[in-house]
Amino acid sequence: MALFKPKFITFDCYGTLIRFDMAGAAERCFSDRVDPEAMHAFTTDFASYRLDEVLGAWKPYYDVVSNAIQRTCKKWGVKWDKADSDFIYTDCASWGPHPDVPAGLAKVAKEFPLVLLTNSMKDLIPHHIPRLGAPIHMTITAEEAGAYKPQMKGFEYMLDKLGCGPEEILHVSSSFRYDLMTAYDLGIKNKVWVNRGHEPANPYYQYTEIKDIGGLPGVVGL
C-alpha cells in the first residue's frame, strides 16, 4: 500500500482529526444531575442515540444532538432543558485538533489534495478547518450531501464531486461504524484506520493501521 498514490486523500474530521469531545460536553452539562459513577454509561447511551439519529433523513446537526440527548435523558430519568442542547452544540465549536494532526497533515498536503467528508454543518466546520494546520482542498459536509455517514450517500456525493472512482482515493478515519465499514462496502480498497481507541480493531475491513496522523506520510511513501 505504500506504493499507492491516490488522487485524493479523504478524511473523516471529528474524532480522526479534531478531538471529538461530545462526551466531555455532556459530562460538563449534566454533572449536577448524573452521578459520576454512571456518567460513562450515560454518555455511551448519548453516543448510541446520535448514531441512531443520523441513520434517517437529513436534519440539522443541532437536531441530531438535541434529539439524542433528550432520548438519553428520558432513558435515565434525568431532567432535560433546551439550554442543555444549546450548551452541548455550542461546545462543539471550541474543539481543537489532536496534537499529531497539524504536522502529519502538512506533510501529506505537499503531495496530495486533502478532502474532508464530515458529519458537520456549513456554519460549524469553519471553526475547525483553520486549526488543522494544513491546506484543505475541499470540504463536504453532511448538510451539503444531504446525508450523514455511515450512510453511503455522502461517500457517493464526494466521489461524484471529485470526479473519481472509489479505487482512486485513500480514506482515513478513526471509526469503523461511521466510515470504514461503508467505505469497504462501496469498494474503497485503500483505507487507513487511525487507532484512537474509539473502537476495537476489525481486520475484516482491510485497512492499514496507524496510531496517529504522524504515521500517514509513511503509508503513501513519503
Side-chain angles (χ1 to χ4, degrees):
M1 192 168 170
L3 298 177
F4 175 65
K5 298 295 182 181
K7 284 189 177 180
F8 301 94
I9 302 180
T10 62
F11 295 85
D12 166 61
C13 185
Y14 299 112
T16 303
L17 303 178
I18 295 295
R19 182 175 174 271
F20 189 78
D21 194 30
M22 197 69 76
E27 288 177 13
R28 290 187 288 277
C29 186
F30 287 92
S31 61
D32 61 336
R33 283 162 281 175
V34 178
D35 291 335
E37 297 80 9
M39 186 62 79
H40 177 73
F42 180 85
T43 58
T44 297
D45 283 344
F46 180 34
S48 298
Y49 283 124
R50 288 198 311 276
L51 176 60
D52 190 64
E53 285 287 332
V54 301
L55 296 177
W58 183 86
K59 52 183 170 281
Y61 195 60
Y62 176 90
D63 294 348
V64 170
V65 172
S66 185
N67 291 350
I69 197 62
Q70 289 180 65
R71 293 169 72 186
T72 305
C73 287
K74 181 179 178 181
K75 178 180 178 179
W76 282 77
V78 171
K79 185 180 183 299
W80 168 86
D81 187 271
K82 184 179 181 298
D84 300 320
S85 298
D86 294 346
F87 176 90
I88 295 171
Y89 188 77
T90 300
D91 195 73
C92 297
S94 70
W95 302 339
H98 292 283
D100 52 274
V101 166
L105 279 189
K107 190 167 184 179
V108 294
K110 293 177 182 178
E111 300 290 336
F112 302 98
L114 310 185
V115 176
L116 303 181
L117 178 62
T118 173
N119 279 1
S120 192
M121 298 282 290
K122 295 174 185 176
D123 63 348
L124 181 60
I125 193 65
H127 291 282
H128 299 109
I129 293 175
R131 301 169 187 165
L132 296 176
I136 302 300
H137 172 74
M138 185 183 296
T139 299
I140 298 171
T141 65
E143 181 180 9
E144 178 184 346
Y148 290 101
K149 298 178 293 180
Q151 296 184 54
M152 289 183 173
K153 185 178 177 181
F155 284 91
E156 293 171 320
Y157 180 91
M158 177 180 71
L159 292 171
D160 287 346
K161 193 165 184 179
L162 294 175
C164 64
E167 72 283 354
E168 296 177 291
I169 68 170
L170 174 66
H171 190 66
V172 182
S173 178
S174 62
S175 175
F176 291 102
R177 297 185 77 176
Y178 277 92
D179 281 79
L180 298 178
M181 292 166 66
T182 305
Y184 175 89
D185 289 342
L186 282 170
I188 299 173
K189 297 185 181 302
N190 298 285
K191 301 178 289 297
V192 169
W193 177 45
V194 187
N195 186 357
R196 302 246 185 235
H198 304 153
E199 301 168 18
N202 194 334
Y204 176 85
Y205 292 103
Q206 301 173 3
Y207 52 84
T208 296
E209 179 180 345
I210 58 178
K211 68 176 183 177
D212 57 39
I213 298 300
L216 186 59
V219 174
V220 290
L222 298 180

